[in-house]
Amino acid sequence: MKLQNKVAIITGSTRGIGRATAKLFAKEGAKVVVVGTKEELGESCVAEIRQDGGEAIFCKTDVTSEASLDALLQASLDAFGRLDILVNNAGVGGTTANMNQITMEEWDTVLATNLTAPFVLCKKVIPLMEEQGGGTIVNIASMASTAAGRGGLAYTAAKHGLLGLTRQMSLDHGRTGIRVNAVLPGPIDTEMIARVLAVPQHPVTMKVKMSPATRPGKPEEVAQAIAFLASEESSFIHGAALAVDGGYTIF
C-alpha cells in the first residue's frame, strides 16, 4: 500500500473529491483526518472507512477560522502523533459576476476559503513536517488556475493564486524535504457543477462532450492523482500542476 502508516489531513473531505480521496487514502494504508463543516457527513465518511478496515477520525472545522485550524492540527496530533500529508481540498465556487457586479462579501468569502485557508494551514503544517524530516502537500487547484473564463472573477483569482502559492512553497521548502504539488481538476461530476452539467446546451456541457474523454470526470479519478502525488511514487515531482480534466483544457 503506497501510503502505509502515513497520517493525512484532507480538508473538504465530507463529500465529492475530498471524500473519494479520504476513502482511497485509507485503502492505501493512511490514517485519515476527515475535515468538513457537516458533522453527519463527516462521521458517515469515517464509518465507511472503518467498515473497510481503515483508520480515520472526523474533525469539524471552519477552514476560514485560524482558531479552528489550530484545533484541527491539535486533534490530528493527539489522535495520530504526527502529520505526513496535507491535502488542501476545501473550496467554494463563486458567481460569474464581473468587476462591476461582484460584491466585497463574495470576494472575501471565495478568497478566504480557496486561497487564504490553504496558506494559513500550510504555514502551520510546514514547520511540523520539517521537524519530522519531510512531508507532502497537495493543493487542489482547478482548470481555472491557468486561464480566465472557467470560473468567476474571485474564483479564478483565488485558484491562480493557489497555483502560485504551490510553486513558491515548493521552491522555498523542497530542500527541507517538503514536496508541494497541485492537482487541477476539470469538470468533475460533483455537486459544485451538477447544475451546469444538467443543462445540455450549456457551453461547459457542450465542451465536455467535445473533449477527448467525452464525459465529466469522477471524484475517484481525481483521488487517484492526489494519492499519486502524496506518495513516494512521485518522489521526483516538485511544484507540478497535474491536470485531471479529460483533455478539457487542451483546446
Side-chain angles (χ1 to χ4, degrees):
M1 293 186 283
K2 67 179 69 175
L3 300 176
Q4 186 69 44
N5 294 323
K6 299 294 186 181
V7 177
I9 290 176
I10 306 170
T11 68
S13 48
T14 60
R15 64 182 73 192
I17 292 171
R19 190 182 184 104
T21 302
K23 294 172 71 174
L24 176 61
F25 272 36
K27 287 181 180 178
E28 291 291 349
K31 302 172 184 179
V32 179
V33 182
V34 176
V35 181
T37 59
K38 305 293 186 183
E39 191 164 351
E40 183 177 349
L41 290 175
E43 293 295 354
S44 68
C45 182
V46 168
E48 290 175 9
I49 288 172
R50 290 175 177 171
Q51 186 174 5
D52 289 336
E55 290 187 63
I57 62 168
F58 170 66
C59 190
K60 185 176 181 179
T61 305
D62 174 3
V63 296
T64 66
S65 163
E66 186 169 1
S68 191
L69 292 178
D70 285 335
L72 165 63
L73 284 177
Q74 192 59 56
S76 303
L77 294 173
D78 288 346
F80 300 122
R82 60 181 292 117
L83 177 62
D84 303 288
I85 302 165
L86 169 63
V87 180
N88 282 307
N89 173 71
V92 294
T95 69
T96 56
N98 63 26
M99 189 63 78
N100 295 329
Q101 300 164 334
I102 192 169
T103 66
M104 285 305 302
E105 181 181 8
E106 180 185 348
W107 174 267
D108 289 343
T109 297
V110 174
L111 268 290
T113 305
N114 294 2
L115 181 57
T116 303
F119 161 76
V120 173
L121 195 47
C122 285
K123 186 172 176 60
K124 295 177 182 295
V125 162
I126 284 176
L128 295 175
M129 289 183 170
E130 288 178 335
E131 284 184 15
Q132 295 171 176
T136 58
I137 297 172
V138 184
N139 293 323
I140 311 307
S142 166
M143 58 184 181
S145 298
T146 58
R150 295 169 183 158
L153 182 66
Y155 187 83
T156 298
K159 292 302 186 179
H160 270 66
L162 185 57
L163 184 53
L165 181 68
T166 298
R167 289 168 170 161
Q168 190 65 48
M169 289 193 300
S170 177
L171 184 64
D172 291 345
H173 299 282
R175 293 178 181 84
T176 63
I178 312 299
R179 287 195 306 108
V180 189
N181 292 289
V183 170
L184 280 58
I188 306 299
D189 194 6
T190 63
E191 292 180 20
M192 186 173 283
I193 64 165
R195 287 172 295 179
V196 171
L197 296 176
V199 181
Q201 300 306 314
H202 193 283
V204 171
T205 306
M206 295 175 69
K207 189 173 180 181
V208 165
K209 293 178 180 179
M210 296 169 60
S211 69
T214 71
R215 63 172 176 82
K218 301 175 183 177
E220 292 77 12
E221 292 173 311
V222 183
Q224 291 286 350
I226 298 169
F228 167 68
L229 289 177
S231 75
E232 287 303 307
E233 292 180 356
S234 61
S235 58
F236 197 58
I237 301 178
H238 289 256
L242 176 58
V244 184
D245 63 7
Y248 186 95
T249 58
I250 64 175
F251 71 105

